[in-house]
Amino acid sequence: MKPILFIVAPGFEEIELAAPVDILRRLEIPVVTAGLQGRTAEGAHGVPVTADMLMVDVDPEQYDGIVLPGGPASWTLRDTPGVLALVRAFHAAGKLVGAICAAPIALEAAGVLEGRRVTCYPAVKGDLKSAAEVLDTPAATDGNIVTGRGPGAALEFGFALADYLGCAEKTPSLRRDMCVC
Amino acid sequence: MKPILFIVAPGFEEIELAAPVDILRRLEIPVVTAGLQGRTAEGAHGVPVTADMLMVDVDPEQYDGIVLPGGPASWTLRDTPGVLALVRAFHAAGKLVGAICAAPIALEAAGVLEGRRVTCYPAVKGDLKSAAEVLDTPAATDGNIVTGRGPGAALEFGFALADYLGCAEKTPSLRRDMCVC
């Protein structure tokens, strides 16, 4: 399996990066983090994280999916043409496209939510005009589009990504190992 | 209020740092992160985080509490005399002492769990010999000692820290804002 790419933009929600990356790597699903505006980005709550590489160096052929953590970074993701181009490339290849919190607005801008059932941070629900339905669930999977609701649902979003990537048999024991309550 | 100090040691569990720091900073409780062996430490799942300062530069008088994220870092914390000295200084002053996952083993080594009711990662339960009781709850508060069970309980640990620090009236609305499920 090729790695899953996580985009790290300034103002990303720290929990929304940490929880899904943690879950996928615990399941030995390869993950690569890519910085949007440099290798190091400060999260929404002041924690600087260093990514594995720069997003400009990403060749989408080398990855099996893309995931966008949310937070204030979501608007930067939405307004960056290079992010939208990458999202479209993964979607056109039928690969996993994931986003959590407000980051589904970048999927909307990329035009990949048409007719999909998704979830998102409540405040941006009205922005996802092309989606068939915006659910209030912690996570939602519709085809290759996996979405999460917000930081408090970041573990559920991570497990939904893992399930989509073929680890559904392993996630119940991982939930126990991680003391999910 | 003086800041709460979080110790960032190599192999820390990323979620166990991100979730409580996030919650406290959202509540405008000041937080300072301090690196044990350098400003930057790689987490247990390969995410490098840069701390605000070095632990050797910490003057405990300037802080209102200390929190130890867990993961493989827990054994390093337990085996570092400077960490145990800091924990004892905060405890002797009656200040908050928090630890999650396996990190309560460092509180045990520092001798501050005597007669306390605590929680911890199940695999290290037997190591907390001086505690009065080791609970299976996501978080536990007994006097100034606040403990959490593991990464899946990191949000609950964060809310328990916030409640202890006087924010109990604000945490219900924060839970909703964060889409805690």
Side-chain angles (χ1 to χ4, degrees):
Chain A
M1 182 181 187
K2 294 175 186 172
I4 305 302
L5 189 72
F6 279 68
I7 305 299
V8 185
F12 70 94
E13 219 304 331
E14 289 90 342
I15 304 172
E16 294 170 0
L17 177 72
V21 167
D22 199 309
I23 287 169
L24 298 192
R25 286 184 170 160
R26 281 171 184 257
L27 291 165
E28 297 179 2
I29 294 170
V31 165
V32 170
T33 58
L36 181 66
Q37 298 176 355
R39 283 278 304 281
T40 298
E42 188 166 306
H45 303 94
V47 179
V49 159
T50 302
D52 299 320
M53 66 183 296
L54 289 173
M55 195 191 79
V56 288
D57 292 324
V58 167
D59 169 6
E61 297 276 327
Q62 303 306 315
Y63 300 88
D64 273 351
I66 186 169
V67 178
L68 309 181
S74 304
W75 285 265
T76 304
L77 294 168
R78 181 197 63 182
D79 296 338
T80 303
V83 172
L84 306 189
L86 260 188
V87 166
R88 289 185 193 114
F90 280 91
H91 186 65
K95 292 175 177 174
L96 166 68
V97 173
I100 178 169
C101 192
I105 63 173
L107 306 191
E108 173 74 19
V112 305
L113 295 188
E114 186 69 36
R116 303 295 183 120
R117 297 172 81 231
V118 298
T119 189
C120 67
Y121 194 69
V124 301
K125 204 169 164 174
D127 294 327
L128 308 187
K129 300 188 191 306
S130 72
E133 194 178 357
V134 184
L135 309 167
D136 292 329
T137 50
T141 300
D142 187 348
N144 64 315
I145 306 289
V146 179
T147 46
R149 195 156 190 243
L155 288 168
E156 291 309 313
F157 176 60
F159 288 120
L161 293 171
D163 288 348
Y164 175 83
L165 293 167
C167 288
E169 285 183 16
K170 294 178 187 167
T171 49
S173 68
L174 182 58
R175 284 176 184 272
R176 287 192 295 275
D177 287 350
M178 292 180 74
C179 305
V180 174
C181 47
Chain B
M1 183 180 187
K2 294 177 187 171
I4 305 303
L5 189 72
F6 278 68
I7 305 299
V8 185
F12 70 93
E13 219 304 331
E14 289 91 341
I15 304 173
E16 293 169 1
L17 176 72
V21 167
D22 199 310
I23 287 168
L24 298 191
R25 286 185 169 160
R26 281 171 184 259
L27 292 164
E28 297 179 1
I29 296 170
V31 165
V32 169
T33 57
L36 182 65
Q37 297 177 356
R39 283 277 305 280
T40 298
E42 188 166 306
H45 303 94
V47 179
V49 159
T50 302
D52 300 320
M53 66 183 296
L54 289 172
M55 195 191 80
V56 288
D57 291 324
V58 167
D59 169 7
E61 296 277 328
Q62 303 306 315
Y63 301 89
D64 272 351
I66 187 170
V67 178
L68 309 181
S74 305
W75 285 266
T76 304
L77 294 167
R78 182 197 63 184
D79 296 340
T80 303
V83 172
L84 305 190
L86 261 188
V87 166
R88 287 184 194 115
F90 280 91
H91 186 66
K95 293 177 177 174
L96 167 69
V97 173
I100 178 169
C101 191
I105 62 174
L107 305 191
E108 173 74 20
V112 305
L113 295 188
E114 186 68 37
R116 302 295 182 122
R117 297 172 79 232
V118 298
T119 188
C120 68
Y121 194 69
V124 302
K125 203 170 166 173
D127 295 326
L128 307 186
K129 299 187 191 309
S130 71
E133 192 178 357
V134 184
L135 309 168
D136 292 329
T137 50
T141 301
D142 187 349
N144 64 315
I145 305 288
V146 180
T147 45
R149 196 156 190 243
L155 288 168
E156 292 307 315
F157 176 61
F159 289 120
L161 293 171
D163 288 347
Y164 175 83
L165 293 167
C167 288
E169 285 183 18
K170 295 179 187 167
T171 48
S173 68
L174 183 59
R175 284 175 183 272
R176 286 191 296 275
D177 287 349
M178 293 181 73
C179 304
V180 173
C181 48

